Amino acid sequence: QVQLVESGGGSVQAGGSLRLSCVGSGYTYGSKCMAWFRQAPGKEREGVAALYIGTTRTYYADSVKGRFTISQDNAKNTVYLQMNSLKPEDTALYSCAADHPLRCFRPIYASDFGDWGQGIQVTVSS
C-alpha cells in the first residue's frame, strides 16, 4: 500500500521560506511521478510542482516558477518542495501525490494522481 507522509509546513511571514518533505513507501520509489498540490479555502486544488523520480524532468506552475524548487533524495525516498519568497497567496493546504511517470510529461492535474498524503498547512502572513 502506497503511503505518503508530508512534513515541514507551518506559518511564516511574507518573503520567508519553508521546505516541505514527502516521504514515500509501499512502492518502487523510482517508478513514480511525484507532485505537490495545494488548495486554498474556496479554491480548486492547484498543481504546484512535479518531478519524475530519478530524472531531472520537472514541472512548475507559473505562479511559483523562480520561487519554488522540487527536488529528491532517493536514498531517503523523499521529495522536497523548497519554497522561497513566500507570498500570502501561497497560503494553502499542501499535499504530496504520486502516480505513473507519464503524469510528469504535461501540466499536472489532481484527477490524474491516485496516491495522496494527508496534507500539511502552509500559512503566509503579510
Side-chain angles (χ1 to χ4, degrees), residues 38-54:
R38 67 185 181 185
Q39 188 167 23
K43 294 189 176 181
E44 291 188 358
R45 187 173 286 179
E46 174 190 20
V48 175
L51 172 64
Y52 182 175
I53 295 300

Side-chain angles (χ1 to χ4, degrees), residues 27-45:
Y27 58 88
T28 303
Y29 180 69
S31 64
K32 293 290 186 182
C33 175
M34 301 293 292
W36 288 96
F37 289 82
R38 67 185 181 185
Q39 188 167 23
K43 294 189 176 181
E44 291 188 358
R45 187 173 286 179

Side-chain angles (χ1 to χ4, degrees), residues 44-98:
E44 291 188 358
R45 187 173 286 179
E46 174 190 20
V48 175
L51 172 64
Y52 182 175
I53 295 300
T55 76
T56 57
R57 187 175 189 92
T58 57
Y59 162 84
Y60 293 97
D62 288 342
S63 57
V64 305
K65 280 181 182 176
R67 301 189 298 122
F68 290 12
T69 303
I70 190 169
S71 62
Q72 59 193 309
D73 184 336
N74 295 338
K76 296 181 179 180
N77 280 14
T78 300
V79 171
Y80 303 99
L81 184 69
Q82 178 67 44
M83 305 184 294
N84 298 329
S85 301
L86 283 161
K87 305 175 181 180
E89 51 263 44
D90 294 318
T91 295
L93 183 70
Y94 284 72
S95 299
C96 175

